[in-house]
Every structure is written in structure tokens, then in C-alpha cells.
């Protein structure tokens, strides 16, 4: 029998996220028996695991009490210190709070509004077609994650930033090293110094982009960032870098994981694939269900810097941090009927996979558009599909989804 203590350790164990059944069994136990649970594991600074949907929202809603600084993402204790030091120089939207957060967010917020994004409809549909055509060219068999899903959102986001296609493979490699840092297959190296080398390589790349866009501004998002101001001064090179980094990285591994994890779910629930084929209008709710199901961003953290906080009778002392488990909240039986069933018609779908409140995902509409464009292209052309091997999921503490999804299919 799994104990509450054991269940709490899934959040510090990268292999747990690669094992859906084990992970969700642990979260279900925590939601039932210890929804506000203090986790103490060697090698990690202690934190409180928040596993209920209502509690994630309660904390995120109060962004004046619960701060992203200084520990926005759970990692081993050594990386907490690194995060703290790095966040003091390279600030990203995720690592900062008011008063600068809303000002920094406003720099690009208009770009991500549905009205502005609608001008990208044709470009995204064209890219979706390119990748479904690629599936056809691959001759009826591929590893869907690396061959298709990982590339398509990267093309979308880097096209928006305005970066040249020749650079896409480099950015893909660096992002995967950064986000896949807990997976032995993806690591650049085992030491924190080696992981830091990835950041430095990113920095050199975006430094050149900033210099170029400051000298020759264009209409792209990279120019908006390079030429933005904060408190009347141009963004520091470090703030500009933090901005590129968050957009370039947050914009694709997440979306590709939901597209690939969504396809895996359609294979596990073939009746849902059949429903989609019969009624293409279900693609819209299906995309949100895929995002709920996969919850590619597993967690963010908040730190209680203002005073003791009581949640469900537990006192979280001032100075301690909470882990908001989006992956668990999105299976909360109190919010989702049949939470463990993949239902392409689920409406409403109040998932918190994009977070909530002041830091709500800037790219949520873009991610939905990308998913819709892809499945609107794929579903009508798909004659048959089946697994051609065992899928494998990324070992991670933060962002993840399928690493391998071997499929066999007929496509027109
Ligand atoms: C399915 C895909 C995606 C998921 C599940 C996802 C999830 C999230 C989550 C959970 C947060 C933190 C929210 C919070 O703290 O309340 C976030 C923030 C963010 N996301 Fe996404 N995201 C996705 C796609 C994208 C895309 C395509 C972009 C494009 C640029 C993007 C850009 C951002 C940015 C810039 C932030 C920081 C916002 C802030 O702190 O103010 N994301 N995302």
C-alpha cells in the first residue's frame, strides 16, 4: 500500500512523470488524504505539495501574497541556489512579480491577443499542412514525437520571433537540453555547470539577435522585445534575453507535448478518435482535453513571503514554498466528472494547465490555435492509425510529455 509520504515523493522523482499510472495513483491519494502535504526529501528544500484544483486557484489568485520569486520552479536544492542567482540577473516573466511583472508582460501582451493572432491563421494552417504532408512522406510509419510534433510548434514560435529557419535546429537542441535536463537521454551533461553551458549558448545567440534588431528593427516579435523600454529605459540585455528565452522555450516543448500526448490518448481511447472523425467540430474541445490530459507543464512554485497562511486547516509558515501541481489539479474528481477518462467533447473544461491569474500562460490562445490547425488537417486525412511500438515519456520535474510515440498509419 502506497503511503502519503511515498506519494509526496513523486514530485521530486523524474521517473514518476514518465509513468502515468504511478504518478496519478500517488496524486489521487494525496488529493484524498493529504491535499496540503509537506514534502521533505533529501537533496530538495522542503515544499508543500498542493494537489487540489481549488487550492491551486486560491493560491494563484492571491499573487500579492504568493510570489514567484525566489523559487518559481521545483528543482534539487543545488538548483534552487542557481535559480536564485540567475534570476537576479536574467529575469523572465516567470521569475518576477509586481511591480515589474505587469510592465514586462505588457510589452508583448498585445501580440498574444486572439485579435492579433488571427492574422497568423494562414501561416499556422500552412505549417500544419507541411507537417501532415511530412507524415505522408514518411511512408506510413514514424516516431511521431521527434519526427513531427517536436518540430511543428518550434517553427510557429520561431517564425513569430522572426528568426531564420537555419537556426531552428540549434534552438530545438538547446531547449530540449534545458527542459529535458532530468532525462538521461536528453542531458547535455550531469553537472549543473554543464547545464549552465546551455544557458550561455542561448545567451550568445540572443545577444546577437538583440544587437541586430536594435540596429535594424523589423515587424517581428524579436524587434518588439529588443526595442522595448522599462521605466523609460531600454530593456537591459539580460531582461531582453530573459524575454526571448521564455518565449522561445515556453512556446514549443509544451505545445508539442500536448499534440503528441493527445495523439497517444486518441490511440488509447479509439472511441474518441471515432467521435472526432464523425464530428470535426469536436476538434476545438478535443484540444483543451488533450492539454488537460497531458498537462505538459507539471508544476510551478509560489513562496509565501507575507505571513503564515492557513489552507485546509494546515498552516503554511511564512517563507515556505508551495508546489502547484497542475497535473494533479487537472484530474481532480471534484471538478472533472470521470477525470481519468479522455473525453474529446468535455465541456466545460476548467483545466488549469495554463495556470491562472497574473502569470496565466501568455501563449494559451496560440497553443490552442496550433493544436486545432494540426488536428483539423490530420483527422480528415487519416485512414487508419495504430501504435507501432511502446511509447515512452520524458523523465522530468517540470515540462514533459511523450519522448517516443512510434505509429503506423495510412494517410491521404
Ligand atoms: C499547451 C501548451 C502550453 C502550456 C500547457 C503552457 C502552460 C503554461 C503555464 C502553466 C504557465 C504559468 C502560469 C501560471 O503561473 O499561472 C505558462 C506561462 C507562460 N507561457 Fe505557456 N504554456 C503553453 C504554451 C505556450 C506558448 C505557445 C507560448 C508562446 C509564447 C507560451 C508562453 C508563456 C509565457 C511567456 C508565460 C509566462 C507568463 C507570465 O509569467 O506572465 N506558452 N504557460
Amino acid at each position: 500500500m502506497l503511503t502519503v509520504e511515498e506519494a509526496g515523493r513523486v514530485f521530486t522523482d523524474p521517473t514518476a512523470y514518465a509513468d502515468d499510472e504511478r504518478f496519478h495513483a500517488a496524486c489521487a491519494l494525496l488529493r484524498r488524504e493529504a491535499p496540503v502535504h509537506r514534502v521533505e526529501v533529501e537533496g530538495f528544500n522542503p515544499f508543500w505539495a498542493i494537489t487540489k484544483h481549488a487550492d491551486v486557484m486560491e493560491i494563484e489568485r492571491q499573487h500579492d501574497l504568493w510570489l514567484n520569486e525566489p523559487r518559481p520552479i521545483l528543482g534539487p536544492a543545488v538548483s534552487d541556489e542557481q535559480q536564485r542567482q540567475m534570476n537576479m540577473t536574467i529575469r523572465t516573466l516567470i521569475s518576477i512579480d509586481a511591480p515589474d511583472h505587469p510592465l514586462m508582460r505588457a510589452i508583448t501582451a498585445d501580440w498574444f491577443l486572439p485579435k492579433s493572432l488571427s492574422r497568423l491563421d494562414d501561416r499556422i494552417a500552412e505549417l500544419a499542412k507541411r507537417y501532415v504532408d511530412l507524415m505522408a512522406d514518411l511512408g506510413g510509419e514514424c516516431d511521431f514525437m521527434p519526427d513531427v510534433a517536436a518540430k511543428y510548434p518550434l517553427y510557429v514560435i520561431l517564425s513569430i520571433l522572426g528568426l531564420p529557419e537555419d537556426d531552428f535546429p540549434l534552438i530545438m537542441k538547446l531547449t530540449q537540453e534545458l527542459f529535458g535536463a532530468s532525462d538521461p537521454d536528453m542531458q547535455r551533461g550531469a553537472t549543473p555547470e554543464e547545464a549552465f553551458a546551455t544557458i550561455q549558448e542561448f545567451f550568445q545567440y540572443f545577444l546577437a539577435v538583440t544587437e541586430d534588431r536594435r540596429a535594424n528593427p523589423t515587424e517581428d516579435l524579436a524587434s518588439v522585445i529588443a526595442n522595448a523600454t522599462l521605466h523609460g529605459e531600454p530593456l537591459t540585455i539580460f531582461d531582453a534575453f530573459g524575454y526571448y528565452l521564455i518565449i522561445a522555450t515556453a512556446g514549443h516543448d509544451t505545445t508539442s507535448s500536448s499534440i503528441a500526448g493527445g495523439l497517444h490518448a486518441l490511440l488509447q481511447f479509439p472511441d474518441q478518435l471515432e467521435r472526432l472523425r464523425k464530428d470535426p467540430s469536436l476538434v476545438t474541445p478535443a484540444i483543451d482535453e488533450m492539454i488537460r490530459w497531458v498537462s505538459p507543464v507539471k508544476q510551478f512554485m509560489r513562496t509565501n513571503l507575507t505571513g503564515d497562511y492557513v489552507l485546509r486547516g494546515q498552516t503554511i509558515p511564512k517563507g515556505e514554498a508551495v508546489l502547484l501541481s497542475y497535473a494533479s489539479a487537472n484530474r481532480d474528481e471534484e471538478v472533472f466528472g470521470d477525470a481519468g477518462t479522455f473525453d474529446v467533447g468535455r465541456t466545460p473544461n476548467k483545466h488549469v494547465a495554463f495556470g491562472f491569474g497574473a502569470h496565466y500562460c501568455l501563449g494559451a490562445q496560440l497553443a490552442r490555435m496550433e493544436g486545432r490547425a494540426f488536428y483539423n488537417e490530420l483527422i480528415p486525412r487519416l485512414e487508419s492509425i495504430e501504435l507501432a511500438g511502446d511509447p515512452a515519456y520524458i523523465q522530468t520535474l517540470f515540462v514533459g510529455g511523450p519522448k517516443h510515440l512510434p505509429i503506423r498509419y495510412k494517410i491521404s
Side-chain angles (χ1 to χ4, degrees):
M1 269 289 282
L2 189 68
T3 65
V4 161
E5 293 312 316
E6 285 162 354
R9 285 193 207 118
V10 289
F11 302 109
T12 58
D13 175 1
T15 66
Y17 284 111
D19 181 349
D20 224 35
E21 216 171 298
R22 182 174 138 217
F23 177 77
H24 284 298
C27 290
L29 179 73
L30 290 170
R31 284 194 301 274
R32 225 171 28 243
E33 294 187 12
V36 182
H37 173 62
R38 194 166 192 274
V39 180
E40 289 176 53
V41 172
E42 210 190 315
F44 286 79
N45 289 317
F47 61 92
W48 295 77
I50 307 298
T51 43
K52 296 281 291 175
H53 188 278
D55 298 346
V56 168
M57 291 189 45
E58 177 175 331
I59 289 173
E60 290 225 47
R61 190 178 285 121
Q62 303 179 74
H63 54 88
D64 45 344
L65 302 185
W66 290 98
L67 302 188
N68 283 38
E69 264 184 282
R71 194 187 174 191
I73 300 165
L74 180 73
V78 282
S79 77
D80 279 351
E81 182 48 28
Q82 277 182 338
Q83 266 195 71
R84 207 181 57 78
Q85 285 182 7
M86 196 171 99
N87 292 343
M88 284 190 319
T89 33
I90 300 163
R91 310 186 305 163
T92 68
L93 286 181
I94 283 300
S95 67
I96 60 174
D97 299 282
D100 280 2
H101 173 260
L103 301 175
M104 289 280 276
R105 189 172 161 112
I107 291 170
T108 59
D110 280 357
W111 259 82
F112 290 98
L113 290 175
K115 198 165 47 92
S116 320
L117 289 175
S118 62
R119 70 197 146 82
L120 299 171
D121 271 344
D122 292 348
R123 169 75 175 145
I124 293 177
E126 177 196 317
L127 286 169
K129 182 171 181 309
R130 195 196 286 189
Y131 282 95
V132 176
D133 287 348
L134 172 71
M135 282 177 76
D137 293 345
L138 288 170
E141 212 166 308
C142 73
D143 186 347
F144 183 73
M145 186 61 187
D147 294 345
V148 181
K151 294 181 179 152
Y152 159 65
L154 177 77
Y155 263 62
V156 174
I157 198 69
L158 297 183
S159 307
I160 294 172
L161 275 170
L163 305 178
E165 275 194 41
D166 284 354
D167 297 351
F168 291 7
L170 171 71
I171 299 196
M172 160 91 87
K173 186 172 80 73
L174 294 176
T175 312
Q176 285 181 340
E177 284 171 0
L178 205 64
F179 277 175
S182 304
D183 193 298
D185 290 353
M186 307 266 186
Q187 269 163 347
R188 169 183 283 250
T191 66
E193 290 73 26
E194 281 164 318
F196 198 67
T198 301
I199 303 269
Q200 279 177 321
E201 205 172 330
F202 254 129
F203 186 75
Q204 291 309 327
Y205 179 85
F206 282 117
L207 184 63
V209 171
T210 306
E211 281 166 358
D212 175 65
R213 295 302 195 279
R214 283 184 177 169
N216 314 295
T218 60
E219 295 296 304
D220 58 30
L221 188 54
S223 294
V224 172
I225 296 169
N227 296 293
T229 56
L230 181 70
H231 306 303
E233 299 289 330
L235 287 192
T236 66
I237 188 67
F238 293 111
D239 277 352
F241 173 63
Y243 225 125
Y244 297 125
L245 192 67
I246 189 84
I247 294 209
T249 54
H252 68 90
D253 254 24
T254 48
T255 314
S256 57
S257 295
S258 62
I259 289 175
L263 187 63
H264 186 202
L266 289 173
L267 291 163
Q268 290 170 302
F269 296 85
D271 56 322
Q272 298 302 306
L273 177 57
E274 225 20 67
R275 275 179 83 193
L276 263 192
R277 276 184 207 282
K278 289 201 177 117
D279 182 357
S281 73
L282 287 177
V283 165
T284 297
I287 297 308
D288 266 290
E289 180 66 346
M290 290 175 183
I291 294 169
R292 177 188 79 92
W293 189 252
V294 181
S295 293
V297 176
K298 306 300 175 192
Q299 47 96 1
F300 270 111
M301 311 266 292
R302 295 290 186 271
T303 300
N304 171 10
L305 286 185
T306 43
D308 291 359
Y309 189 92
V310 180
L311 186 60
R312 290 186 196 264
Q314 292 281 357
T315 301
I316 303 174
K318 180 178 173 184
E320 299 216 341
V322 291
L323 172 136
L324 308 172
S325 177
Y326 302 121
S328 169
N330 284 338
R331 297 286 175 102
D332 190 339
E333 306 73 4
E334 263 191 84
V335 177
F336 304 98
D338 279 335
T341 301
F342 178 75
D343 171 4
V344 293
R346 191 182 289 279
T347 339
N349 191 338
K350 297 191 169 157
H351 70 75
V352 282
F354 291 122
F356 184 70
H359 288 270
Y360 180 78
C361 176
L362 201 54
Q365 295 311 327
L366 178 62
R368 289 186 171 111
M369 275 169 75
E370 289 177 45
R372 279 199 305 268
F374 187 81
Y375 280 97
N376 276 333
E377 179 72 27
L378 178 70
I379 297 292
R381 292 173 60 180
L382 199 58
E383 289 165 24
S384 67
I385 182 162
E386 61 183 6
L387 280 176
D390 290 334
Y393 278 67
I394 289 182
Q395 294 179 23
T396 182
L397 291 180
F398 178 37
V399 171
K403 177 164 67 173
H404 295 294
L405 186 64
I407 50 169
R408 195 175 298 119
Y409 49 88
K410 280 204 184 110
I411 204 170
S412 60

